[in-house]
Amino acid sequence: MTNRGGCCSGPVYLPVVKLGKPDCENMYDLIMKDNLACYLPKKAINKETKKVTIKLHNILGRKSLAVTGILAYKEDTWDRSQKKY
């Protein structure tokens, strides 16, 4: 998950695909499928997550990976820090 939020919305984390192990492996669940190791963020997997798919896209010879099935999420702590008492 990468932070794509702005100054007004606070941090909003969207799914991305990266090559290699994550820096903080304890924050991820390791899932093995067809001899591939996938690290999925523990915060992103919840009761609303039904099926996560990673697809290879090939557009005019440019290859990329895309993930679907994981919802973006917002940190709860940011909202609380913005409330004025």
Side-chain angles (χ1 to χ4, degrees):
M1 303 299 274
T2 184
N3 184 1
R4 300 290 180 172
C7 62
C8 297
S9 66
V12 176
Y13 295 90
L14 300 175
V16 294
V17 179
K18 294 182 181 179
L19 184 62
K21 288 185 178 182
D23 293 333
C24 300
E25 286 185 55
N26 62 327
M27 295 175 64
Y28 294 82
D29 288 325
L30 173 63
I31 298 171
M32 296 294 294
K33 181 72 175 171
D34 298 330
N35 289 331
L36 285 172
C38 294
Y39 291 89
L40 298 175
K42 290 180 180 180
K43 282 187 171 186
I45 307 302
N46 56 44
K47 62 183 177 187
E48 296 176 20
T49 307
K50 294 185 180 18
K51 182 179 178 182
V52 177
T53 305
I54 300 174
K55 293 183 179 181
L56 173 64
H57 289 230
N58 186 358
I59 300 172
L60 300 173
R62 183 170 182 208
K63 294 181 174 132
S64 63
L65 295 172
V67 62
T68 58
I70 297 179
L71 300 175
Y73 67 89
K74 189 172 183 177
E75 286 288 344
D76 293 333
T77 56
W78 191 85
D79 284 335
R80 283 180 277 182
S81 67
Q82 298 302 312
K83 291 180 182 173
K84 301 201 174 104
Y85 298 98

Coordinates of all heavy atoms in Angstrom, one line a residue:
M1 N 0.9 -1.2 0.0 CA 0.0 0.0 0.0 C 0.9 1.2 0.0 O 1.9 1.3 0.7 CB -0.9 0.0 1.2 CG -1.8 -1.3 1.4 SD -2.9 -1.6 0.1 CE -4.3 -0.6 0.5
T2 N 0.5 2.2 -0.8 CA 1.3 3.4 -0.9 C 0.4 4.6 -0.6 O -0.8 4.6 -1.0 CB 2.0 3.6 -2.2 OG1 2.8 4.7 -2.2 CG2 1.0 3.7 -3.4
N3 N 1.0 5.6 0.1 CA 0.2 6.8 0.5 C 0.0 7.7 -0.7 O 0.9 8.2 -1.3 CB 0.9 7.5 1.6 CG 0.1 8.7 2.1 OD1 -1.0 9.0 1.7 ND2 0.7 9.4 3.1
R4 N -1.3 7.9 -1.1 CA -1.6 8.8 -2.2 C -2.5 9.9 -1.8 O -3.2 10.5 -2.6 CB -2.3 8.0 -3.3 CG -1.5 6.9 -3.9 CD -0.4 7.4 -4.7 NE 0.4 6.3 -5.3 CZ 1.4 6.4 -6.1 NH1 1.7 7.6 -6.5 NH2 2.0 5.3 -6.5
G5 N -2.6 10.1 -0.5 CA -3.5 11.2 0.1 C -2.9 12.5 -0.1 O -1.7 12.7 -0.4
G6 N -3.7 13.5 0.1 CA -3.2 14.9 0.0 C -3.3 15.6 1.3 O -3.6 15.0 2.3
C7 N -3.0 16.9 1.3 CA -2.9 17.6 2.5 C -4.3 17.8 3.1 O -4.5 17.9 4.3 CB -2.3 19.0 2.3 SG -3.2 20.0 1.1
C8 N -5.4 17.8 2.3 CA -6.7 18.0 2.9 C -7.4 16.7 3.3 O -8.2 16.6 4.2 CB -7.6 18.6 1.9 SG -7.1 20.3 1.4
S9 N -7.0 15.6 2.6 CA -7.7 14.3 2.9 C -6.9 13.5 4.0 O -7.4 12.5 4.5 CB -7.8 13.5 1.7 OG -6.5 13.1 1.2
G10 N -5.6 13.8 4.2 CA -4.8 13.0 5.0 C -4.3 11.8 4.3 O -4.5 11.6 3.1
P11 N -3.6 10.9 5.0 CA -3.1 9.7 4.2 C -4.2 8.7 3.8 O -5.0 8.3 4.5 CB -2.2 9.0 5.3 CG -2.6 9.6 6.6 CD -3.3 10.9 6.4
V12 N -4.1 8.4 2.5 CA -5.0 7.4 1.9 C -4.1 6.4 1.2 O -3.3 6.8 0.3 CB -6.0 8.0 0.9 CG1 -6.8 7.0 0.2 CG2 -6.9 9.1 1.5
Y13 N -4.2 5.1 1.6 CA -3.3 4.1 1.1 C -4.0 3.3 0.0 O -5.1 2.8 0.2 CB -2.9 3.2 2.2 CG -2.1 4.0 3.2 CD1 -2.6 4.6 4.3 CD2 -0.7 4.1 3.0 CE1 -1.9 5.3 5.2 CE2 0.1 4.8 3.9 CZ -0.5 5.4 5.0 OH 0.2 6.2 5.9
L14 N -3.3 3.2 -1.2 CA -3.8 2.5 -2.3 C -2.9 1.3 -2.6 O -1.7 1.3 -2.4 CB -3.9 3.4 -3.6 CG -4.7 4.6 -3.4 CD1 -4.6 5.5 -4.7 CD2 -6.2 4.2 -3.3
P15 N -3.5 0.2 -3.2 CA -2.7 -1.0 -3.5 C -1.7 -0.7 -4.6 O -2.1 -0.1 -5.6 CB -3.7 -2.1 -3.8 CG -4.9 -1.3 -4.2 CD -4.9 0.0 -3.5
V16 N -0.5 -1.2 -4.5 CA 0.5 -1.2 -5.6 C 1.2 -2.6 -5.5 O 1.2 -3.3 -4.5 CB 1.5 -0.1 -5.4 CG1 0.9 1.3 -5.6 CG2 2.3 -0.2 -4.1
V17 N 1.9 -2.9 -6.7 CA 2.7 -4.1 -6.8 C 4.1 -3.7 -6.8 O 4.5 -2.9 -7.7 CB 2.3 -4.9 -8.0 CG1 3.1 -6.2 -8.1 CG2 0.8 -5.3 -8.0
K18 N 4.9 -4.3 -6.0 CA 6.4 -4.0 -6.0 C 7.1 -5.3 -6.0 O 6.7 -6.3 -5.4 CB 6.8 -3.2 -4.7 CG 6.2 -1.8 -4.7 CD 6.7 -1.0 -3.5 CE 6.0 0.4 -3.5 NZ 6.5 1.1 -2.3
L19 N 8.3 -5.3 -6.5 CA 9.2 -6.5 -6.6 C 10.0 -6.5 -5.3 O 10.6 -5.5 -4.9 CB 10.1 -6.4 -7.8 CG 10.9 -7.7 -8.1 CD1 10.1 -8.9 -8.3 CD2 11.8 -7.4 -9.3
G20 N 10.1 -7.7 -4.7 CA 10.9 -7.9 -3.5 C 10.1 -8.0 -2.2 O 8.9 -7.8 -2.2
K21 N 10.9 -8.3 -1.1 CA 10.3 -8.3 0.2 C 10.0 -6.9 0.8 O 10.8 -6.0 0.5 CB 11.2 -9.1 1.1 CG 11.2 -10.6 0.9 CD 12.1 -11.3 1.9 CE 12.1 -12.8 1.7 NZ 12.9 -13.5 2.8
P22 N 9.0 -6.8 1.5 CA 8.7 -5.5 2.2 C 9.8 -5.2 3.3 O 10.3 -6.2 3.9 CB 7.3 -5.6 2.7 CG 7.1 -7.1 2.8 CD 7.9 -7.7 1.8
D23 N 10.0 -4.0 3.6 CA 10.9 -3.6 4.7 C 10.5 -4.2 6.0 O 11.3 -4.7 6.8 CB 11.1 -2.1 4.7 CG 11.8 -1.6 3.5 OD1 12.6 -2.3 2.9 OD2 11.6 -0.4 3.2
C24 N 9.2 -4.0 6.3 CA 8.7 -4.5 7.6 C 7.8 -5.7 7.4 O 6.6 -5.6 7.3 CB 7.9 -3.4 8.3 SG 8.8 -1.9 8.6
E25 N 8.4 -6.9 7.3 CA 7.7 -8.1 7.0 C 6.6 -8.4 8.0 O 5.6 -9.0 7.7 CB 8.6 -9.3 6.9 CG 9.4 -9.3 5.6 CD 10.3 -10.5 5.5 OE1 9.7 -11.6 5.5 OE2 11.5 -10.4 5.3
N26 N 6.7 -8.0 9.2 CA 5.7 -8.3 10.3 C 4.4 -7.6 10.0 O 3.4 -7.9 10.6 CB 6.3 -7.9 11.7 CG 6.6 -6.5 11.8 OD1 7.0 -5.8 10.8 ND2 6.4 -5.9 13.0
M27 N 4.4 -6.6 9.1 CA 3.1 -5.9 8.8 C 2.4 -6.5 7.7 O 1.3 -6.0 7.2 CB 3.4 -4.4 8.5 CG 4.0 -3.6 9.7 SD 4.5 -2.0 9.3 CE 2.9 -1.2 8.8
Y28 N 2.9 -7.6 7.2 CA 2.3 -8.3 6.0 C 2.0 -9.7 6.2 O 2.7 -10.4 7.0 CB 3.3 -8.2 4.8 CG 3.5 -6.8 4.3 CD1 4.4 -5.9 5.0 CD2 2.8 -6.3 3.2 CE1 4.6 -4.6 4.5 CE2 3.0 -5.0 2.8 CZ 3.9 -4.2 3.4 OH 4.1 -2.9 3.0
D29 N 1.0 -10.3 5.5 CA 0.7 -11.7 5.5 C 1.4 -12.3 4.3 O 1.2 -11.7 3.2 CB -0.8 -12.0 5.4 CG -1.5 -11.7 6.7 OD1 -0.9 -11.9 7.8 OD2 -2.6 -11.2 6.7
L30 N 2.1 -13.4 4.4 CA 2.8 -14.0 3.3 C 1.8 -15.1 2.8 O 1.3 -16.0 3.5 CB 4.1 -14.7 3.8 CG 4.8 -15.6 2.7 CD1 5.2 -14.8 1.5 CD2 6.0 -16.3 3.4
I31 N 1.6 -15.0 1.5 CA 0.7 -15.9 0.8 C 1.5 -16.5 -0.4 O 2.0 -15.8 -1.2 CB -0.6 -15.2 0.3 CG1 -1.4 -14.7 1.5 CG2 -1.4 -16.2 -0.6 CD1 -2.5 -13.8 1.1
M32 N 1.5 -17.8 -0.4 CA 2.2 -18.5 -1.5 C 1.2 -19.1 -2.5 O 0.2 -19.7 -2.1 CB 3.1 -19.7 -1.0 CG 4.2 -19.3 0.0 SD 5.5 -18.4 -0.8 CE 6.2 -19.6 -1.9
K33 N 1.4 -18.8 -3.8 CA 0.5 -19.3 -4.9 C 1.4 -19.5 -6.1 O 2.1 -18.6 -6.6 CB -0.5 -18.2 -5.1 CG -1.5 -18.6 -6.2 CD -2.5 -19.6 -5.7 CE -3.5 -19.8 -6.8 NZ -4.4 -21.0 -6.5
D34 N 1.3 -20.7 -6.6 CA 2.1 -21.1 -7.8 C 3.5 -20.7 -7.7 O 4.1 -20.1 -8.7 CB 1.4 -20.5 -9.1 CG 0.0 -21.0 -9.3 OD1 -0.3 -22.1 -8.9 OD2 -0.8 -20.2 -9.8
N35 N 4.2 -21.1 -6.6 CA 5.6 -20.7 -6.4 C 5.9 -19.2 -6.4 O 7.0 -18.8 -6.6 CB 6.5 -21.5 -7.4 CG 6.6 -23.0 -7.1 OD1 6.4 -23.4 -6.0 ND2 6.8 -23.7 -8.2
L36 N 4.9 -18.4 -6.2 CA 5.1 -17.0 -6.0 C 4.8 -16.6 -4.6 O 3.8 -17.0 -4.0 CB 4.2 -16.2 -7.0 CG 4.5 -16.2 -8.4 CD1 3.4 -15.5 -9.2 CD2 5.8 -15.4 -8.6
A37 N 5.6 -15.8 -4.0 CA 5.4 -15.3 -2.7 C 4.8 -13.9 -2.8 O 5.3 -13.0 -3.4 CB 6.7 -15.2 -1.9
C38 N 3.6 -13.7 -2.2 CA 2.9 -12.4 -2.2 C 2.8 -11.9 -0.8 O 2.3 -12.7 0.1 CB 1.5 -12.5 -2.8 SG 1.5 -12.9 -4.5
Y39 N 3.2 -10.7 -0.5 CA 3.1 -10.1 0.8 C 1.9 -9.1 0.7 O 2.0 -8.1 0.0 CB 4.3 -9.4 1.2 CG 5.5 -10.3 1.4 CD1 6.4 -10.7 0.4 CD2 5.8 -10.8 2.7 CE1 7.4 -11.5 0.6 CE2 6.8 -11.6 3.0 CZ 7.6 -12.0 1.9 OH 8.7 -12.8 2.2
L40 N 0.8 -9.4 1.4 CA -0.3 -8.5 1.5 C -0.4 -7.8 2.8 O -0.3 -8.5 3.8 CB -1.6 -9.3 1.2 CG -1.7 -10.0 -0.1 CD1 -2.9 -10.9 -0.2 CD2 -1.7 -9.0 -1.3
P41 N -0.6 -6.5 2.8 CA -0.7 -5.8 4.1 C -1.8 -6.3 5.0 O -2.9 -6.5 4.5 CB -0.9 -4.3 3.7 CG -0.7 -4.3 2.2 CD -0.8 -5.7 1.7
K42 N -1.5 -6.5 6.2 CA -2.5 -7.0 7.2 C -3.7 -6.0 7.3 O -4.8 -6.5 7.5 CB -1.8 -7.3 8.5 CG -0.9 -8.4 8.5 CD -0.3 -8.7 9.9 CE 0.7 -9.9 9.8 NZ 1.3 -10.2 11.1
K43 N -3.4 -4.7 7.2 CA -4.5 -3.8 7.3 C -5.4 -3.8 6.1 O -6.6 -3.4 6.2 CB -3.9 -2.3 7.4 CG -3.4 -2.0 8.8 CD -3.0 -0.5 8.8 CE -2.6 -0.1 10.2 NZ -2.4 1.3 10.3
A44 N -4.9 -4.2 5.0 CA -5.8 -4.2 3.8 C -6.7 -5.4 3.7 O -7.6 -5.4 3.0 CB -4.9 -4.2 2.6
I45 N -6.3 -6.5 4.4 CA -7.2 -7.7 4.3 C -8.2 -7.7 5.5 O -7.8 -7.6 6.7 CB -6.3 -9.0 4.4 CG1 -5.1 -8.9 3.4 CG2 -7.1 -10.2 4.3 CD1 -5.6 -8.8 2.0
N46 N -9.4 -7.6 5.1 CA -10.5 -7.6 6.2 C -11.7 -8.3 5.6 O -11.7 -9.0 4.6 CB -10.8 -6.1 6.5 CG -11.2 -5.3 5.3 OD1 -11.9 -5.7 4.4 ND2 -10.6 -4.1 5.2
K47 N -12.8 -8.2 6.3 CA -14.0 -8.9 6.0 C -14.6 -8.5 4.6 O -15.3 -9.2 4.0 CB -15.1 -8.7 7.0 CG -15.6 -7.3 7.2 CD -16.6 -7.2 8.4 CE -16.9 -5.8 8.6 NZ -17.7 -5.6 9.7
E48 N -14.2 -7.3 4.1 CA -14.7 -6.8 2.8 C -13.8 -7.4 1.7 O -14.2 -7.3 0.5 CB -14.7 -5.3 2.8 CG -15.7 -4.7 3.7 CD -15.7 -3.2 3.8 OE1 -15.1 -2.6 2.8 OE2 -16.1 -2.6 4.7
T49 N -12.7 -7.9 2.0 CA -11.8 -8.4 1.0 C -12.2 -9.8 0.6 O -12.2 -10.8 1.4 CB -10.3 -8.5 1.5 OG1 -9.9 -7.2 2.0 CG2 -9.3 -8.9 0.4
K50 N -12.7 -10.0 -0.7 CA -13.2 -11.3 -1.1 C -12.2 -12.0 -2.0 O -11.9 -13.2 -1.8 CB -14.5 -11.1 -1.9 CG -15.6 -10.5 -1.0 CD -16.9 -10.5 -1.7 CE -18.1 -10.0 -0.9 NZ -17.9 -9.3 0.3
K51 N -11.6 -11.4 -3.0 CA -10.7 -12.0 -3.9 C -9.7 -11.0 -4.3 O -10.0 -10.0 -4.9 CB -11.4 -12.6 -5.1 CG -10.6 -13.3 -6.0 CD -11.4 -13.9 -7.2 CE -10.5 -14.6 -8.2 NZ -11.3 -15.1 -9.3
V52 N -8.4 -11.3 -4.1 CA -7.3 -10.4 -4.6 C -6.7 -11.0 -5.8 O -6.4 -12.2 -5.9 CB -6.2 -10.2 -3.5 CG1 -5.1 -9.4 -4.0 CG2 -6.8 -9.7 -2.2
T53 N -6.6 -10.2 -6.9 CA -6.1 -10.6 -8.2 C -4.9 -9.7 -8.6 O -5.1 -8.5 -8.5 CB -7.2 -10.6 -9.3 OG1 -8.3 -11.3 -8.8 CG2 -6.7 -11.1 -10.6
I54 N -3.8 -10.3 -9.0 CA -2.7 -9.6 -9.6 C -2.6 -10.0 -11.1 O -2.5 -11.2 -11.3 CB -1.4 -9.8 -8.8 CG1 -1.6 -9.4 -7.4 CG2 -0.3 -9.1 -9.5 CD1 -0.4 -9.7 -6.5
K55 N -2.7 -9.1 -12.0 CA -2.7 -9.4 -13.4 C -1.5 -8.7 -14.1 O -1.1 -7.6 -13.7 CB -4.0 -8.9 -14.1 CG -5.2 -9.6 -13.6 CD -6.4 -9.1 -14.4 CE -7.7 -9.9 -14.0 NZ -8.9 -9.4 -14.7
L56 N -1.1 -9.4 -15.1 CA 0.0 -8.8 -16.0 C -0.7 -8.1 -17.1 O -1.5 -8.7 -17.9 CB 0.9 -9.9 -16.5 CG 1.9 -9.5 -17.6 CD1 2.9 -8.5 -16.9 CD2 2.6 -10.7 -18.2
H57 N -0.4 -6.8 -17.3 CA -0.9 -6.0 -18.4 C 0.2 -5.8 -19.4 O 1.4 -5.5 -19.0 CB -1.4 -4.6 -17.9 CG -2.6 -4.7 -17.1 ND1 -3.7 -3.9 -17.3 CD2 -3.0 -5.5 -16.0 CE1 -4.7 -4.2 -16.5 NE2 -4.3 -5.1 -15.7
N58 N -0.1 -5.9 -20.7 CA 0.9 -5.7 -21.7 C 0.3 -4.8 -22.7 O -0.5 -5.2 -23.6 CB 1.3 -7.1 -22.3 CG 2.4 -6.9 -23.4 OD1 2.9 -5.8 -23.6 ND2 2.8 -8.0 -23.9
I59 N 0.7 -3.5 -22.6 CA 0.1 -2.5 -23.5 C 1.3 -2.0 -24.4 O 2.2 -1.3 -23.9 CB -0.5 -1.3 -22.7 CG1 -1.7 -1.9 -21.9 CG2 -1.0 -0.2 -23.7 CD1 -2.3 -0.9 -20.9
L60 N 1.2 -2.3 -25.7 CA 2.2 -1.8 -26.6 C 3.6 -2.2 -26.2 O 4.6 -1.4 -26.3 CB 2.1 -0.3 -26.9 CG 0.8 0.2 -27.4 CD1 0.8 1.7 -27.5 CD2 0.5 -0.4 -28.8
G61 N 3.8 -3.4 -25.7 CA 5.1 -3.9 -25.2 C 5.5 -3.5 -23.9 O 6.5 -4.0 -23.4
R62 N 4.8 -2.6 -23.2 CA 5.1 -2.2 -21.9 C 4.3 -3.0 -20.9 O 3.1 -3.0 -20.9 CB 4.8 -0.7 -21.7 CG 5.2 -0.2 -20.4 CD 5.1 1.3 -20.2 NE 5.5 1.7 -18.9 CZ 5.2 2.7 -18.3 NH1 4.3 3.5 -18.9 NH2 5.6 3.0 -17.1
K63 N 5.1 -3.8 -20.1 CA 4.4 -4.7 -19.1 C 4.3 -4.0 -17.8 O 5.3 -3.3 -17.3 CB 5.2 -6.0 -19.1 CG 5.1 -6.7 -20.4 CD 5.9 -8.0 -20.3 CE 5.6 -8.7 -21.6 NZ 6.8 -9.3 -22.2
S64 N 3.2 -4.3 -17.1 CA 3.1 -3.9 -15.7 C 2.1 -4.8 -15.0 O 1.4 -5.6 -15.6 CB 2.5 -2.4 -15.7 OG 1.2 -2.4 -16.3
L65 N 2.2 -4.8 -13.7 CA 1.3 -5.6 -12.8 C 0.2 -4.7 -12.2 O 0.5 -3.5 -11.9 CB 2.1 -6.3 -11.7 CG 3.1 -7.3 -12.2 CD1 4.0 -7.7 -11.0 CD2 2.4 -8.5 -12.8
A66 N -1.0 -5.2 -12.1 CA -2.1 -4.4 -11.5 C -2.8 -5.3 -10.5 O -3.0 -6.5 -10.7 CB -3.0 -4.0 -12.6
V67 N -3.1 -4.7 -9.4 CA -3.8 -5.5 -8.3 C -5.3 -5.0 -8.2 O -5.5 -3.8 -8.3 CB -3.1 -5.3 -7.0 CG1 -3.0 -3.9 -6.5 CG2 -3.7 -6.2 -5.9
T68 N -6.2 -5.9 -8.1 CA -7.6 -5.6 -7.8 C -8.1 -6.4 -6.7 O -7.5 -7.4 -6.3 CB -8.5 -5.9 -9.1 OG1 -8.3 -7.3 -9.4 CG2 -8.1 -5.1 -10.3
G69 N -9.1 -5.9 -6.0 CA -9.7 -6.7 -4.9 C -9.3 -6.2 -3.6 O -9.9 -6.6 -2.6
I70 N -8.4 -5.2 -3.5 CA -8.1 -4.6 -2.2 C -8.5 -3.2 -2.2 O -8.2 -2.4 -3.2 CB -6.5 -4.7 -2.0 CG1 -6.1 -6.1 -1.9 CG2 -6.2 -3.9 -0.7 CD1 -4.6 -6.2 -1.7
L71 N -9.3 -2.8 -1.2 CA -9.8 -1.5 -1.1 C -8.8 -0.5 -0.5 O -8.0 -0.9 0.3 CB -11.1 -1.4 -0.2 CG -12.2 -2.3 -0.7 CD1 -13.3 -2.3 0.3 CD2 -12.7 -1.8 -2.1
A72 N -8.8 0.7 -1.0 CA -8.0 1.7 -0.4 C -8.5 1.9 1.1 O -9.6 1.7 1.4 CB -8.0 3.0 -1.2
Y73 N -7.6 2.4 1.9 CA -8.1 2.7 3.3 C -7.4 3.9 3.8 O -6.4 4.4 3.3 CB -7.8 1.5 4.3 CG -6.3 1.2 4.5 CD1 -5.7 1.8 5.6 CD2 -5.6 0.3 3.8 CE1 -4.3 1.5 5.8 CE2 -4.3 0.0 4.0 CZ -3.7 0.6 5.0 OH -2.4 0.4 5.3
K74 N -8.0 4.5 4.8 CA -7.5 5.8 5.4 C -7.2 5.5 6.8 O -7.9 4.8 7.5 CB -8.6 6.8 5.3 CG -8.2 8.2 5.6 CD -9.3 9.2 5.3 CE -8.9 10.6 5.6 NZ -9.8 11.6 5.3
E75 N -6.1 6.1 7.3 CA -5.7 5.9 8.7 C -6.7 6.6 9.6 O -7.0 7.8 9.4 CB -4.3 6.5 8.9 CG -3.2 5.7 8.3 CD -2.9 4.4 9.1 OE1 -3.4 4.3 10.2 OE2 -2.3 3.5 8.5
D76 N -7.2 5.9 10.6 CA -8.1 6.5 11.5 C -7.5 7.6 12.4 O -8.1 8.5 12.8 CB -8.7 5.4 12.5 CG -9.6 4.4 11.7 OD1 -10.2 4.8 10.7 OD2 -9.6 3.3 12.1
T77 N -6.2 7.5 12.7 CA -5.5 8.4 13.6 C -5.5 9.8 13.0 O -5.5 10.8 13.7 CB -4.1 8.0 13.9 OG1 -3.4 7.8 12.6 CG2 -4.1 6.7 14.6
W78 N -5.5 9.9 11.6 CA -5.4 11.3 11.0 C -6.7 12.0 11.3 O -6.7 13.2 11.6 CB -5.2 11.2 9.5 CG -4.9 12.5 8.9 CD1 -3.6 13.1 8.8 CD2 -5.8 13.4 8.3 NE1 -3.7 14.3 8.2 CE2 -5.0 14.5 7.9 CE3 -7.1 13.4 8.1 CZ2 -5.6 15.6 7.3 CZ3 -7.7 14.5 7.5 CH2 -6.9 15.6 7.1
D79 N -7.8 11.4 11.1 CA -9.1 12.0 11.4 C -9.2 12.6 12.8 O -9.7 13.7 13.1 CB -10.3 11.1 11.1 CG -10.6 10.9 9.7 OD1 -10.2 11.8 8.9 OD2 -11.1 9.8 9.3
R80 N -8.8 11.8 13.8 CA -8.8 12.2 15.2 C -7.9 13.4 15.5 O -8.3 14.2 16.2 CB -8.5 11.0 16.1 CG -9.6 10.0 16.2 CD -9.2 8.9 17.1 NE -8.5 8.0 16.2 CZ -7.9 6.9 16.6 NH1 -8.1 6.5 17.9 NH2 -7.3 6.1 15.8
S81 N -6.8 13.4 14.8 CA -5.9 14.5 15.1 C -6.4 15.8 14.5 O -5.9 16.9 14.9 CB -4.5 14.2 14.5 OG -4.5 14.2 13.1
Q82 N -7.3 15.8 13.5 CA -7.8 17.0 12.9 C -9.0 17.6 13.6 O -9.4 18.7 13.3 CB -8.2 16.7 11.4 CG -7.0 16.2 10.6 CD -5.9 17.3 10.6 OE1 -6.2 18.4 10.3 NE2 -4.7 16.9 10.8
K83 N -9.6 16.8 14.5 CA -10.8 17.3 15.2 C -10.4 18.4 16.2 O -9.4 18.3 16.9 CB -11.5 16.2 15.9 CG -12.2 15.2 15.0 CD -12.9 14.2 15.8 CE -13.5 13.2 14.8 NZ -14.0 12.0 15.5
K84 N -11.2 19.5 16.2 CA -10.9 20.6 17.1 C -11.9 20.5 18.3 O -13.0 20.3 18.2 CB -11.1 21.9 16.4 CG -10.1 22.0 15.2 CD -9.9 23.4 14.8 CE -8.9 23.5 13.8 NZ -8.3 23.6 12.9
Y85 N -11.3 20.6 19.5 CA -12.1 20.5 20.7 C -12.4 21.9 21.3 O -11.8 22.8 21.2 CB -11.4 19.7 21.7 CG -11.2 18.2 21.2 CD1 -10.0 17.8 20.7 CD2 -12.3 17.3 21.3 CE1 -9.8 16.5 20.2 CE2 -12.1 16.0 20.8 CZ -10.9 15.7 20.3 OH -10.7 14.4 19.9

